[in-house]
Coordinates of all heavy atoms in Angstrom, one line a residue:
M1 N 0.8 -1.2 0.0 CA 0.0 0.0 0.0 C 0.9 1.2 0.0 O 1.9 1.3 0.7 CB -0.9 0.0 1.2 CG -2.0 1.0 1.2 SD -3.0 1.1 -0.3 CE -4.0 -0.3 -0.1
L2 N 0.5 2.2 -0.8 CA 1.3 3.4 -1.0 C 1.2 4.4 0.2 O 2.2 5.0 0.6 CB 1.0 4.1 -2.3 CG 1.5 3.5 -3.5 CD1 0.9 4.2 -4.7 CD2 3.0 3.6 -3.6
N3 N 0.0 4.5 0.8 CA -0.2 5.5 1.8 C 0.5 5.2 3.1 O 0.2 4.2 3.7 CB -1.7 5.7 2.0 CG -2.0 6.8 3.0 OD1 -1.4 6.9 4.1 ND2 -2.9 7.7 2.6
K4 N 1.5 6.0 3.4 CA 2.3 5.7 4.7 C 1.9 6.6 5.8 O 2.3 6.5 6.9 CB 3.8 5.8 4.4 CG 4.3 4.8 3.4 CD 5.8 4.9 3.3 CE 6.3 4.1 2.1 NZ 6.2 4.8 0.8
G5 N 1.1 7.6 5.4 CA 0.8 8.7 6.4 C -0.4 8.4 7.3 O -0.7 9.1 8.2
N6 N -1.1 7.2 7.0 CA -2.3 6.9 7.8 C -3.3 8.0 7.9 O -3.7 8.4 8.9 CB -1.9 6.4 9.2 CG -1.1 5.1 9.2 OD1 -1.0 4.5 8.1 ND2 -0.5 4.7 10.3
A7 N -3.5 8.6 6.7 CA -4.5 9.7 6.7 C -5.2 9.7 5.4 O -4.8 9.1 4.4 CB -3.7 11.1 6.8
S8 N -6.4 10.2 5.4 CA -7.2 10.3 4.2 C -6.5 11.2 3.2 O -5.8 12.1 3.6 CB -8.6 10.8 4.5 OG -9.3 9.9 5.3
E9 N -6.8 11.0 1.9 CA -6.1 11.8 0.9 C -7.2 12.5 0.0 O -8.1 11.9 -0.5 CB -5.3 10.9 -0.1 CG -4.2 10.2 0.7 CD -3.4 9.3 -0.3 OE1 -3.2 9.7 -1.4 OE2 -3.1 8.2 0.1
S10 N -7.0 13.8 -0.2 CA -7.8 14.5 -1.1 C -7.1 15.0 -2.4 O -7.7 15.5 -3.3 CB -8.5 15.7 -0.4 OG -7.5 16.6 0.1
I11 N -5.7 14.9 -2.3 CA -4.9 15.4 -3.5 C -4.7 14.2 -4.5 O -4.4 13.1 -4.1 CB -3.6 15.9 -3.0 CG1 -3.7 17.1 -2.1 CG2 -2.6 16.2 -4.1 CD1 -2.5 17.5 -1.3
C12 N -5.0 14.5 -5.7 CA -4.8 13.5 -6.8 C -3.3 13.1 -6.8 O -2.4 13.9 -6.9 CB -5.2 14.0 -8.1 SG -4.9 12.9 -9.5
R13 N -3.1 11.8 -6.7 CA -1.7 11.2 -6.7 C -1.0 11.4 -8.0 O 0.2 11.4 -8.1 CB -1.8 9.7 -6.4 CG -2.2 9.4 -5.0 CD -2.3 7.9 -4.8 NE -2.7 7.6 -3.4 CZ -2.8 6.3 -3.0 NH1 -2.6 5.3 -3.8 NH2 -3.1 6.1 -1.7
V14 N -1.8 11.5 -9.1 CA -1.3 11.7 -10.4 C -0.9 13.1 -10.8 O 0.3 13.4 -11.2 CB -2.3 11.1 -11.5 CG1 -1.8 11.5 -12.9 CG2 -2.5 9.6 -11.3
C15 N -1.8 14.0 -10.5 CA -1.6 15.4 -11.0 C -1.5 16.5 -9.9 O -1.2 17.6 -10.2 CB -2.6 15.8 -12.0 SG -4.3 16.1 -11.3
G16 N -1.9 16.1 -8.7 CA -1.8 17.1 -7.6 C -3.0 17.9 -7.4 O -3.1 18.8 -6.5
Y17 N -4.1 17.7 -8.3 CA -5.3 18.5 -8.1 C -6.1 18.1 -6.9 O -6.1 17.0 -6.6 CB -6.1 18.4 -9.4 CG -7.5 19.1 -9.4 CD1 -7.5 20.5 -9.4 CD2 -8.7 18.4 -9.2 CE1 -8.7 21.2 -9.4 CE2 -9.9 19.1 -9.2 CZ -9.9 20.5 -9.3 OH -11.1 21.2 -9.2
S18 N -6.7 19.1 -6.3 CA -7.7 18.8 -5.2 C -8.8 19.8 -5.2 O -8.5 21.0 -5.3 CB -6.9 18.8 -3.9 OG -7.9 18.7 -2.8
D19 N -10.0 19.3 -5.1 CA -11.1 20.3 -4.8 C -11.7 20.0 -3.4 O -12.8 20.4 -3.1 CB -12.2 20.1 -5.9 CG -12.9 18.7 -5.9 OD1 -12.5 17.9 -5.0 OD2 -13.7 18.4 -6.7
G20 N -10.9 19.2 -2.6 CA -11.3 18.9 -1.3 C -12.0 17.6 -1.1 O -12.1 17.1 0.0
S21 N -12.4 17.0 -2.2 CA -13.1 15.7 -2.1 C -12.1 14.6 -1.7 O -11.0 14.7 -2.1 CB -13.7 15.3 -3.5 OG -14.6 16.3 -3.9
I22 N -12.6 13.7 -0.9 CA -11.7 12.6 -0.4 C -11.6 11.5 -1.5 O -12.6 11.0 -2.0 CB -12.3 11.9 0.9 CG1 -12.4 13.0 2.0 CG2 -11.5 10.7 1.3 CD1 -11.0 13.5 2.4
R23 N -10.4 11.2 -1.9 CA -10.1 10.2 -2.9 C -9.8 8.9 -2.3 O -10.2 7.8 -2.8 CB -8.9 10.6 -3.8 CG -9.2 11.9 -4.6 CD -8.0 12.5 -5.2 NE -8.3 13.9 -5.5 CZ -8.8 14.2 -6.7 NH1 -9.0 13.3 -7.6 NH2 -9.1 15.4 -7.0
W24 N -9.1 8.9 -1.1 CA -8.8 7.7 -0.3 C -9.1 8.1 1.1 O -8.6 9.0 1.7 CB -7.3 7.4 -0.4 CG -6.8 6.9 -1.8 CD1 -6.4 7.6 -2.8 CD2 -6.8 5.5 -2.1 NE1 -6.1 6.7 -3.9 CE2 -6.3 5.4 -3.4 CE3 -7.0 4.3 -1.5 CZ2 -6.1 4.2 -4.1 CZ3 -6.8 3.1 -2.1 CH2 -6.4 3.1 -3.5
E25 N -10.0 7.3 1.7 CA -10.4 7.5 3.0 C -9.8 6.5 4.0 O -9.8 5.3 3.8 CB -12.0 7.4 3.2 CG -12.4 7.7 4.6 CD -13.9 8.0 4.6 OE1 -14.6 7.4 3.8 OE2 -14.4 8.7 5.5
Y26 N -9.1 7.1 5.0 CA -8.5 6.2 6.0 C -9.4 6.1 7.2 O -9.8 7.1 7.8 CB -7.2 6.9 6.4 CG -6.3 6.0 7.3 CD1 -5.5 5.0 6.7 CD2 -6.2 6.1 8.7 CE1 -4.7 4.1 7.4 CE2 -5.5 5.3 9.4 CZ -4.7 4.3 8.8 OH -3.9 3.5 9.5
F27 N -9.8 4.9 7.5 CA -10.8 4.7 8.5 C -10.5 3.4 9.3 O -10.4 2.3 8.7 CB -12.2 4.5 7.9 CG -13.3 4.3 8.9 CD1 -13.7 5.4 9.7 CD2 -14.0 3.1 9.0 CE1 -14.8 5.2 10.7 CE2 -15.0 2.9 10.0 CZ -15.4 3.9 10.8
E28 N -10.3 3.6 10.6 CA -10.0 2.5 11.5 C -8.9 1.6 11.0 O -9.0 0.3 10.9 CB -11.2 1.7 11.8 CG -12.3 2.5 12.6 CD -13.5 1.7 13.0 OE1 -13.7 0.6 12.5 OE2 -14.2 2.2 13.9
G29 N -7.8 2.2 10.5 CA -6.6 1.5 10.1 C -6.6 0.9 8.7 O -5.7 0.2 8.3
V30 N -7.7 1.2 8.0 CA -7.8 0.7 6.6 C -8.0 1.9 5.6 O -8.7 2.8 5.9 CB -8.9 -0.3 6.4 CG1 -8.9 -0.8 5.0 CG2 -8.8 -1.4 7.4
L31 N -7.3 1.8 4.5 CA -7.5 2.9 3.5 C -8.5 2.4 2.4 O -8.3 1.4 1.8 CB -6.1 3.1 2.9 CG -5.9 4.4 2.1 CD1 -6.1 5.6 2.9 CD2 -4.6 4.4 1.4
Y32 N -9.5 3.2 2.2 CA -10.5 2.8 1.3 C -10.5 3.8 0.1 O -10.6 5.0 0.3 CB -11.9 2.9 1.9 CG -12.1 1.9 3.0 CD1 -11.9 2.3 4.4 CD2 -12.5 0.6 2.8 CE1 -12.1 1.4 5.4 CE2 -12.7 -0.3 3.8 CZ -12.5 0.1 5.1 OH -12.7 -0.8 6.2
S33 N -10.5 3.2 -1.1 CA -10.6 4.1 -2.3 C -12.0 4.6 -2.4 O -13.0 3.8 -2.2 CB -10.2 3.3 -3.5 OG -10.6 4.1 -4.6
Q34 N -12.2 5.8 -2.8 CA -13.5 6.4 -3.0 C -13.9 6.3 -4.5 O -14.9 6.8 -4.9 CB -13.6 7.8 -2.5 CG -13.3 7.9 -1.0 CD -14.3 7.0 -0.2 OE1 -15.5 7.1 -0.2 NE2 -13.7 6.0 0.5
F35 N -13.0 5.8 -5.3 CA -13.2 5.7 -6.8 C -13.7 7.0 -7.4 O -14.7 7.1 -8.0 CB -14.2 4.5 -7.1 CG -13.6 3.2 -6.7 CD1 -14.0 2.6 -5.5 CD2 -12.6 2.6 -7.4 CE1 -13.5 1.4 -5.1 CE2 -12.0 1.4 -7.0 CZ -12.5 0.8 -5.9
L36 N -12.9 8.0 -7.1 CA -13.2 9.4 -7.5 C -12.4 9.7 -8.8 O -11.2 9.5 -8.8 CB -12.9 10.4 -6.4 CG -13.5 11.8 -6.6 CD1 -14.9 11.7 -6.1 CD2 -12.7 12.7 -5.7
I37 N -13.1 10.1 -9.8 CA -12.4 10.5 -11.0 C -11.9 11.9 -10.9 O -12.7 12.8 -10.6 CB -13.3 10.3 -12.3 CG1 -13.6 8.8 -12.4 CG2 -12.6 10.9 -13.5 CD1 -14.5 8.5 -13.6
C38 N -10.6 12.1 -11.2 CA -10.0 13.5 -11.1 C -10.6 14.4 -12.2 O -10.5 14.0 -13.4 CB -8.5 13.3 -11.2 SG -7.7 14.9 -11.0
D39 N -11.1 15.6 -11.8 CA -11.6 16.5 -12.8 C -10.4 17.0 -13.7 O -10.7 17.4 -14.8 CB -12.1 17.8 -12.0 CG -13.5 17.5 -11.6 OD1 -14.1 16.4 -11.8 OD2 -14.1 18.4 -10.9
C40 N -9.2 17.0 -13.2 CA -8.1 17.5 -13.9 C -7.5 16.4 -14.9 O -7.7 16.6 -16.1 CB -7.0 18.0 -13.0 SG -5.6 18.7 -13.9
C41 N -6.9 15.4 -14.3 CA -6.2 14.4 -15.2 C -7.1 13.2 -15.6 O -6.7 12.5 -16.5 CB -4.9 13.9 -14.6 SG -5.2 12.9 -13.1
G42 N -8.2 13.0 -14.9 CA -9.1 11.9 -15.3 C -8.8 10.6 -14.7 O -9.5 9.6 -14.9
A43 N -7.7 10.6 -13.8 CA -7.4 9.3 -13.2 C -8.4 9.0 -12.1 O -8.9 9.9 -11.4 CB -6.0 9.4 -12.5
E44 N -8.7 7.7 -11.9 CA -9.7 7.3 -10.9 C -8.9 6.7 -9.7 O -8.1 5.8 -9.9 CB -10.6 6.2 -11.5 CG -11.7 5.8 -10.5 CD -12.7 4.9 -11.2 OE1 -12.7 4.8 -12.4 OE2 -13.6 4.4 -10.5
S45 N -9.3 7.2 -8.5 CA -8.6 6.7 -7.3 C -9.0 5.3 -7.1 O -10.2 4.9 -7.3 CB -9.0 7.6 -6.1 OG -10.3 7.5 -5.8
G46 N -8.1 4.4 -6.7 CA -8.4 3.0 -6.5 C -8.3 2.2 -7.8 O -8.4 1.0 -7.8
Y47 N -8.0 2.9 -8.9 CA -7.9 2.2 -10.2 C -6.6 2.5 -10.9 O -5.8 1.7 -11.1 CB -9.1 2.6 -11.1 CG -9.2 1.8 -12.4 CD1 -9.2 0.5 -12.4 CD2 -9.1 2.5 -13.6 CE1 -9.3 -0.2 -13.6 CE2 -9.2 1.9 -14.8 CZ -9.2 0.5 -14.8 OH -9.2 -0.2 -16.0
E48 N -6.4 3.8 -11.2 CA -5.2 4.2 -11.9 C -4.1 4.7 -11.0 O -3.0 5.0 -11.4 CB -5.5 5.3 -12.9 CG -5.9 4.7 -14.3 CD -7.3 5.2 -14.7 OE1 -8.0 5.9 -13.9 OE2 -7.7 4.9 -15.8
D49 N -4.4 4.7 -9.7 CA -3.4 5.3 -8.8 C -3.0 4.3 -7.6 O -2.6 4.8 -6.5 CB -3.9 6.6 -8.2 CG -5.1 6.4 -7.3 OD1 -5.6 5.4 -7.2 OD2 -5.4 7.4 -6.6
C50 N -3.1 3.0 -7.9 CA -2.8 2.1 -6.8 C -1.3 1.8 -6.7 O -0.8 1.4 -5.6 CB -3.5 0.8 -7.0 SG -5.3 1.0 -6.7
L51 N -0.6 1.8 -7.8 CA 0.8 1.5 -7.9 C 1.6 2.7 -8.3 O 1.1 3.4 -9.2 CB 1.1 0.3 -8.8 CG 0.4 -1.0 -8.5 CD1 0.6 -2.0 -9.7 CD2 1.1 -1.6 -7.3
L52 N 2.8 2.8 -7.8 CA 3.6 4.0 -8.1 C 3.9 4.0 -9.6 O 3.9 5.0 -10.3 CB 4.9 4.0 -7.3 CG 5.8 5.2 -7.5 CD1 5.1 6.5 -7.2 CD2 7.1 5.0 -6.7
T53 N 4.2 2.8 -10.2 CA 4.5 2.8 -11.6 C 3.3 3.2 -12.5 O 3.5 3.9 -13.5 CB 5.0 1.4 -12.1 OG1 4.0 0.4 -11.6 CG2 6.3 1.1 -11.5
A54 N 2.1 2.8 -12.0 CA 0.9 3.2 -12.7 C 0.7 4.7 -12.6 O 0.3 5.4 -13.6 CB -0.3 2.5 -12.2
I55 N 0.9 5.3 -11.5 CA 0.8 6.7 -11.2 C 1.7 7.5 -12.2 O 1.4 8.4 -12.9 CB 1.1 7.1 -9.8 CG1 0.0 6.5 -8.9 CG2 1.2 8.6 -9.6 CD1 0.4 6.6 -7.4
Q56 N 3.0 7.0 -12.2 CA 4.0 7.7 -13.0 C 3.7 7.6 -14.5 O 3.9 8.5 -15.3 CB 5.4 7.2 -12.7 CG 5.8 7.6 -11.3 CD 7.0 6.8 -10.8 OE1 7.3 5.7 -11.3 NE2 7.8 7.4 -9.8
N57 N 3.2 6.4 -14.9 CA 2.9 6.2 -16.3 C 1.7 7.1 -16.7 O 1.8 7.7 -17.8 CB 2.6 4.7 -16.6 CG 3.8 3.9 -16.6 OD1 4.9 4.4 -16.8 ND2 3.6 2.6 -16.4
Y58 N 0.7 7.1 -15.9 CA -0.5 7.9 -16.2 C -0.1 9.4 -16.3 O -0.5 10.1 -17.2 CB -1.6 7.7 -15.2 CG -2.9 8.2 -15.6 CD1 -3.9 7.3 -16.0 CD2 -3.2 9.5 -15.5 CE1 -5.2 7.8 -16.4 CE2 -4.5 10.0 -15.9 CZ -5.4 9.1 -16.3 OH -6.7 9.6 -16.7
R59 N 0.7 9.8 -15.3 CA 1.1 11.2 -15.3 C 1.9 11.6 -16.6 O 1.7 12.6 -17.2 CB 2.0 11.5 -14.1 CG 2.4 13.0 -13.9 CD 3.3 13.2 -12.7 NE 2.7 12.7 -11.5 CZ 3.3 11.9 -10.6 NH1 4.5 11.5 -10.8 NH2 2.7 11.5 -9.5
R60 N 2.8 10.7 -16.9 CA 3.7 11.0 -18.1 C 2.8 11.1 -19.4 O 3.0 12.0 -20.2 CB 4.7 9.9 -18.3 CG 5.8 10.3 -19.3 CD 6.8 9.1 -19.6 NE 6.2 8.0 -20.1 CZ 6.1 6.8 -19.5 NH1 6.7 6.6 -18.3 NH2 5.5 5.8 -20.0
E61 N 1.9 10.2 -19.5 CA 1.0 10.2 -20.7 C 0.1 11.4 -20.7 O -0.1 12.1 -21.7 CB 0.1 8.9 -20.7 CG 0.9 7.7 -21.2 CD 0.0 6.5 -21.1 OE1 -1.2 6.6 -21.1 OE2 0.6 5.4 -21.0
W62 N -0.4 11.8 -19.5 CA -1.2 13.0 -19.4 C -0.4 14.3 -19.7 O -0.9 15.2 -20.4 CB -1.7 13.1 -17.9 CG -2.6 14.3 -17.7 CD1 -3.8 14.5 -18.2 CD2 -2.3 15.4 -16.8 NE1 -4.3 15.8 -17.7 CE2 -3.4 16.3 -16.9 CE3 -1.2 15.7 -16.0 CZ2 -3.4 17.5 -16.2 CZ3 -1.2 16.9 -15.3 CH2 -2.3 17.8 -15.4
L63 N 0.9 14.3 -19.2 CA 1.7 15.5 -19.5 C 2.1 15.5 -21.0 O 2.0 16.6 -21.6 CB 3.0 15.4 -18.7 CG 2.9 15.6 -17.2 CD1 4.2 15.3 -16.5 CD2 2.4 17.1 -16.9
E64 N 2.4 14.4 -21.6 CA 2.8 14.3 -23.0 C 1.6 14.6 -23.9 O 1.8 15.1 -25.1 CB 3.4 13.0 -23.3 CG 4.8 12.8 -22.7 CD 5.4 11.4 -22.9 OE1 4.7 10.6 -23.5 OE2 6.5 11.2 -22.5
S65 N 0.4 14.4 -23.5 CA -0.8 14.6 -24.3 C -1.3 16.0 -24.2 O -2.4 16.3 -24.6 CB -1.8 13.5 -24.1 OG -2.3 13.6 -22.8
G66 N -0.6 16.8 -23.4 CA -1.0 18.2 -23.3 C -1.8 18.7 -22.1 O -2.5 19.7 -22.1
T67 N -1.8 17.9 -21.0 CA -2.4 18.2 -19.8 C -3.9 18.6 -20.0 O -4.3 19.6 -19.4 CB -1.7 19.3 -19.0 OG1 -1.7 20.5 -19.7 CG2 -0.2 18.9 -18.7
K68 N -4.6 17.9 -20.7 CA -6.0 18.2 -21.0 C -6.8 17.9 -19.7 O -6.6 16.9 -19.0 CB -6.5 17.3 -22.1 CG -7.8 17.7 -22.7 CD -8.1 16.9 -24.0 CE -9.4 17.3 -24.6 NZ -10.6 17.1 -23.7
W69 N -7.8 18.8 -19.4 CA -8.7 18.6 -18.2 C -9.8 17.7 -18.6 O -10.4 17.8 -19.6 CB -9.2 20.0 -17.8 CG -8.3 20.7 -16.9 CD1 -7.0 21.1 -17.2 CD2 -8.5 20.9 -15.5 NE1 -6.4 21.6 -16.0 CE2 -7.3 21.5 -15.0 CE3 -9.5 20.7 -14.6 CZ2 -7.1 21.9 -13.6 CZ3 -9.4 21.1 -13.2 CH2 -8.2 21.7 -12.8
F70 N -10.0 16.7 -17.7 CA -11.1 15.8 -17.9 C -12.4 16.5 -17.8 O -13.4 16.2 -18.5 CB -11.0 14.7 -16.8 CG -12.0 13.6 -16.9 CD1 -11.9 12.6 -17.8 CD2 -13.1 13.6 -16.0 CE1 -12.9 11.7 -17.9 CE2 -14.1 12.6 -16.1 CZ -14.0 11.7 -17.1
C71 N -12.6 17.4 -16.8 CA -13.8 18.2 -16.7 C -13.4 19.7 -16.9 O -12.9 20.3 -16.0 CB -14.3 18.0 -15.3 SG -15.9 18.9 -15.0
Q72 N -13.6 20.1 -18.1 CA -13.1 21.5 -18.5 C -13.7 22.6 -17.6 O -13.0 23.6 -17.3 CB -13.5 21.7 -19.9 CG -12.8 22.9 -20.6 CD -11.3 22.7 -20.7 OE1 -10.8 21.6 -20.9 NE2 -10.5 23.7 -20.5
K73 N -14.9 22.4 -17.1 CA -15.5 23.5 -16.4 C -15.0 23.6 -15.0 O -15.2 24.6 -14.3 CB -17.0 23.4 -16.4 CG -17.6 22.2 -15.6 CD -19.2 22.4 -15.6 CE -20.0 21.2 -15.2 NZ -19.5 20.3 -14.2
S74 N -14.2 22.6 -14.5 CA -13.6 22.7 -13.2 C -12.2 23.4 -13.3 O -11.6 23.7 -12.2 CB -13.4 21.3 -12.6 OG -14.6 20.7 -12.4
K75 N -11.7 23.7 -14.4 CA -10.4 24.3 -14.6 C -10.4 25.7 -14.1 O -11.2 26.5 -14.7 CB -10.0 24.2 -16.1 CG -8.6 24.7 -16.3 CD -8.2 24.5 -17.8 CE -6.8 25.0 -18.0 NZ -6.4 24.8 -19.5
P76 N -9.6 26.1 -13.1 CA -9.5 27.4 -12.7 C -9.0 28.4 -13.8 O -8.1 27.9 -14.6 CB -8.5 27.4 -11.5 CG -8.4 25.9 -11.1 CD -8.7 25.2 -12.4
E77 N -9.4 29.6 -13.8 CA -9.0 30.5 -14.8 C -7.5 30.8 -14.8 O -6.8 30.9 -15.8 CB -9.7 31.9 -14.7 CG -11.1 31.9 -15.4 CD -11.8 33.2 -15.3 OE1 -11.1 34.3 -15.3 OE2 -13.0 33.2 -15.2
N78 N -7.0 30.8 -13.5 CA -5.5 31.1 -13.4 C -4.8 29.9 -13.1 O -3.8 29.9 -12.3 CB -5.3 32.2 -12.3 CG -5.9 31.7 -10.9 OD1 -6.7 30.7 -10.9 ND2 -5.6 32.3 -9.9
W79 N -5.2 28.8 -13.7 CA -4.6 27.5 -13.4 C -3.1 27.5 -13.8 O -2.7 28.0 -14.8 CB -5.2 26.4 -14.2 CG -4.7 25.0 -14.0 CD1 -4.7 24.4 -12.8 CD2 -4.1 24.1 -14.9 NE1 -4.2 23.1 -12.9 CE2 -3.8 22.9 -14.2 CE3 -3.8 24.2 -16.2 CZ2 -3.2 21.8 -14.8 CZ3 -3.2 23.1 -16.9 CH2 -2.9 22.0 -16.1
N80 N -2.3 26.9 -12.9 CA -0.8 26.8 -13.1 C -0.4 25.4 -12.9 O -0.4 24.8 -11.8 CB -0.1 27.8 -12.0 CG 1.4 27.8 -12.2 OD1 2.0 26.8 -12.2 ND2 1.9 29.0 -12.4
L81 N 0.1 24.8 -14.0 CA 0.5 23.4 -13.9 C 1.6 23.1 -12.9 O 1.5 22.2 -12.2 CB 0.9 22.9 -15.3 CG 1.5 21.5 -15.4 CD1 0.5 20.5 -15.1 CD2 2.1 21.3 -16.8
E82 N 2.6 23.9 -13.0 CA 3.8 23.7 -12.1 C 3.4 23.7 -10.7 O 3.9 22.9 -9.9 CB 4.9 24.7 -12.4 CG 5.4 24.7 -13.9 CD 5.8 23.4 -14.3 OE1 6.5 22.7 -13.5 OE2 5.5 23.0 -15.5
K83 N 2.6 24.7 -10.3 CA 2.2 24.8 -8.9 C 1.4 23.6 -8.5 O 1.5 23.1 -7.4 CB 1.3 26.1 -8.7 CG 2.1 27.4 -8.5 CD 1.2 28.5 -8.2 CE 2.0 29.8 -8.2 NZ 1.1 31.0 -8.2
Q84 N 0.5 23.1 -9.4 CA -0.3 22.0 -9.0 C 0.5 20.7 -8.9 O 0.3 19.9 -7.9 CB -1.4 21.8 -10.1 CG -2.3 20.6 -9.7 CD -3.4 20.5 -10.7 OE1 -4.3 21.3 -10.9 NE2 -3.4 19.3 -11.5
L85 N 1.5 20.5 -9.8 CA 2.3 19.3 -9.7 C 3.1 19.3 -8.4 O 3.4 18.3 -7.9 CB 3.3 19.3 -10.9 CG 2.6 19.0 -12.3 CD1 3.6 19.2 -13.4 CD2 2.0 17.6 -12.3
A86 N 3.4 20.5 -7.9 CA 4.2 20.6 -6.7 C 3.5 20.1 -5.5 O 4.1 19.8 -4.4 CB 4.6 22.1 -6.4
H87 N 2.1 20.0 -5.6 CA 1.3 19.5 -4.5 C 1.3 18.0 -4.4 O 0.8 17.4 -3.4 CB -0.1 20.0 -4.6 CG -0.3 21.4 -4.4 ND1 -1.1 22.2 -5.1 CD2 0.3 22.3 -3.5 CE1 -1.0 23.5 -4.7 NE2 -0.2 23.5 -3.7
I88 N 1.9 17.3 -5.4 CA 1.9 15.8 -5.3 C 2.8 15.4 -4.2 O 3.9 15.8 -4.1 CB 2.4 15.2 -6.7 CG1 1.5 15.7 -7.8 CG2 2.5 13.7 -6.6 CD1 2.1 15.4 -9.2
P89 N 2.2 14.6 -3.3 CA 3.1 14.1 -2.2 C 4.3 13.3 -2.7 O 4.3 12.7 -3.7 CB 2.1 13.1 -1.4 CG 0.8 13.6 -1.8 CD 0.9 14.1 -3.2
D90 N 5.4 13.5 -1.9 CA 6.7 12.9 -2.4 C 6.6 11.4 -2.7 O 7.2 10.9 -3.6 CB 7.8 13.1 -1.3 CG 8.2 14.6 -1.3 OD1 8.0 15.3 -2.3 OD2 8.9 15.0 -0.3
D91 N 5.7 10.7 -1.9 CA 5.6 9.2 -2.1 C 5.1 8.9 -3.5 O 5.3 7.7 -3.9 CB 4.7 8.6 -1.1 CG 5.3 8.5 0.3 OD1 6.5 8.8 0.4 OD2 4.6 8.2 1.3
Y92 N 4.5 9.8 -4.2 CA 3.8 9.5 -5.5 C 4.6 10.2 -6.6 O 4.0 10.1 -7.8 CB 2.4 9.9 -5.4 CG 1.6 9.4 -4.3 CD1 0.8 10.3 -3.5 CD2 1.7 8.1 -3.9 CE1 0.1 9.8 -2.4 CE2 1.0 7.6 -2.8 CZ 0.2 8.5 -2.0 OH -0.5 8.0 -0.9
K93 N 5.7 10.8 -6.4 CA 6.4 11.5 -7.5 C 7.2 10.5 -8.3 O 7.5 9.4 -7.9 CB 7.3 12.6 -6.9 CG 6.5 13.8 -6.5 CD 7.4 14.9 -6.0 CE 6.5 16.1 -5.6 NZ 7.2 17.1 -4.8
Ligands
ZN1 ZN1 -5.5 14.2 -11.2

């Protein structure tokens, strides 16, 4: 299991985006995926972000294909890719 912090996660492991929704819920010692699709990169928690290699592959493909938003209307007007990527926890880089 990738999560070492024993805490729920709201930041996308792939792209660093967060709207505050819980993607992985930590409850009584177990981490549960909420199967949330990221508005930004389109990765689904519990599906595309379970393994570090899968996270890195998905991220590379997303970056190489032009960082298209899965849900265009969620994209902030002043969106900054570099700042968002900086939010990715070290364990998932
Ligand atoms: Zn994402």
Side-chain angles (χ1 to χ4, degrees):
M1 189 53 75
L2 281 174
N3 184 310
K4 299 185 190 80
N6 293 350
S8 296
E9 298 177 41
S10 60
I11 296 171
C12 177
R13 294 175 175 182
V14 171
C15 73
Y17 176 72
S18 174
D19 63 4
S21 304
I22 298 295
R23 295 164 197 275
W24 288 88
E25 184 165 27
Y26 192 79
F27 181 72
E28 294 185 347
V30 182
L31 195 64
Y32 298 94
S33 166
Q34 300 303 300
F35 297 101
L36 196 77
I37 294 176
C38 181
D39 279 0
C40 181
C41 71
E44 184 172 350
S45 64
Y47 184 59
E48 274 122 353
D49 67 348
C50 292
L51 298 170
L52 185 58
T53 51
I55 293 168
Q56 291 168 337
N57 286 341
Y58 195 103
R59 184 185 301 133
R60 191 183 62 245
E61 285 175 20
W62 179 69
L63 290 171
E64 287 175 359
S65 63
T67 65
K68 197 172 178 297
W69 275 65
F70 181 77
C71 181
Q72 194 66 34
K73 68 173 167 32
S74 295
K75 184 178 180 178
E77 272 183 37
N78 58 347
W79 184 61
N80 183 303
L81 173 65
E82 302 304 320
K83 279 186 186 166
Q84 182 177 296
L85 291 173
H87 290 140
I88 300 170
D90 285 343
D91 284 351
Y92 309 131
K93 282 180 179 168

